[in-house]
Amino acid sequence: VTLIAIAQASKFRTFNFSSASVAPPTIVTTTQGNSGQGESVTTSDSISIVNSDTYLAFITMKPYRQVKSIEGLGSDWVKIKTQCSGRSATGIEVWMANTPPTSAGRVRATLSGEALNSIVSVVQISGVNKDIQIKTTGLNTKGLEGGCSSGTDSSSYTTKLTPAANSLVIGGISSRFVTQTSSDGFTELFDIHYGGSNGAKAGLAITNKYFSS
């Protein structure tokens, strides 16, 4: 499965990670949660487990805070990508359950410091070839793997994709308070925002597209 994460500050920011699969990879479900004025965020509902499925946790926050750890499903979790926005106004991280899940339940992300608002979404994917390493890349308005300082707001983003055949591309967008619109054949799963005023909101959208060849 090929995976992409896209982060946006007051401008758009993107990052991605990828891996190929021998069977059609499919998103089974997504489970979200949010938090205000805290150092952790937890999914609102319990997540069921399938031993052979892949679980990814997308975490975004306002302002940017690194994720210290992920707990849940009886798995050991590993960070596979982090991307801040310019001015550290927001950021997005993606973590993966690195060992097979053993118990259903909620998933909690612990941050490096208090965030005004934060959102977590756990994406369950079936049909992933786990023998192939996930590859990652990041992008913000300062460019590939763009830094966290300065930056200029933008109302759009773009990145060139070269996914392997039989790949599912997943995009995670840290949209803060703006609406995310998918294009070029991508299907948006959700676009949620949490917090009070626009300046304090966290936002997360997930979009995806399957590439057969």
Side-chain angles (χ1 to χ4, degrees):
V1 61
T2 299
L3 306 162
I4 297 179
I6 304 169
Q8 169 201 343
S10 326
K11 56 208 112 187
F12 284 85
R13 322 245 146 214
T14 82
F15 75 75
N16 90 57
F17 50 99
S18 67
S19 145
S21 172
V22 295
T26 303
I27 294 177
V28 177
T29 188
T30 65
T31 306
Q32 286 73 248
N34 52 59
S35 175
Q37 297 289 346
E39 295 185 10
S40 66
V41 57
T42 305
T43 57
S44 57
D45 296 319
S46 179
I47 300 168
S48 60
I49 61 170
V50 176
N51 188 269
S52 59
D53 284 356
T54 295
Y55 292 82
L56 300 173
F58 291 76
I59 309 97
T60 186
M61 68 297 292
K62 164 65 182 177
Y64 175 58
R65 298 285 185 264
Q66 291 189 349
V67 178
K68 291 172 58 177
S69 63
I70 301 283
E71 299 175 29
L73 308 185
S75 298
D76 293 329
W77 293 77
V78 61
K79 182 187 298 186
I80 59 176
K81 190 59 191 178
T82 182
Q83 177 65 58
C84 59
S85 73
R87 308 193 309 275
S88 292
T90 188
I92 189 166
E93 293 201 4
V94 184
W95 290 59
M96 179 177 68
N98 202 37
T99 57
T102 59
S103 58
R106 299 182 180 185
V107 170
R108 180 178 68 183
T110 300
L111 309 178
S112 60
E114 183 178 285
L116 293 175
N117 293 291
S118 54
I119 298 172
V120 61
S121 178
V122 175
V123 179
Q124 180 181 353
I125 309 166
S126 64
V128 176
N129 182 353
K130 297 184 180 181
D131 292 330
I132 299 178
Q133 182 180 7
I134 288 178
K135 300 177 182 179
T136 69
T137 188
L139 173 68
N140 63 24
T141 54
K142 298 179 70 175
L144 288 171
E145 313 295 342
C148 305
S149 62
S150 67
T152 304
D153 291 356
S154 174
S155 60
S156 63
Y157 60 86
T158 183
T159 186
K160 185 177 180 180
L161 303 178
T162 54
N166 193 34
S167 294
L168 178 68
V169 175
I170 301 177
I173 302 93
S174 178
S175 54
R176 286 190 63 199
F177 56 87
V178 302
T179 300
Q180 149 72 18
T181 301
S182 297
S183 60
D184 296 326
F186 278 79
T187 299
E188 195 156 301
L189 299 179
F190 63 82
D191 182 7
I192 57 177
H193 306 87
Y194 181 76
S197 65
N198 283 348
K201 283 183 179 178
L204 176 64
I206 299 291
T207 186
N208 74 107
K209 179 180 180 179
Y210 176 68
F211 290 81
S212 60
S213 59

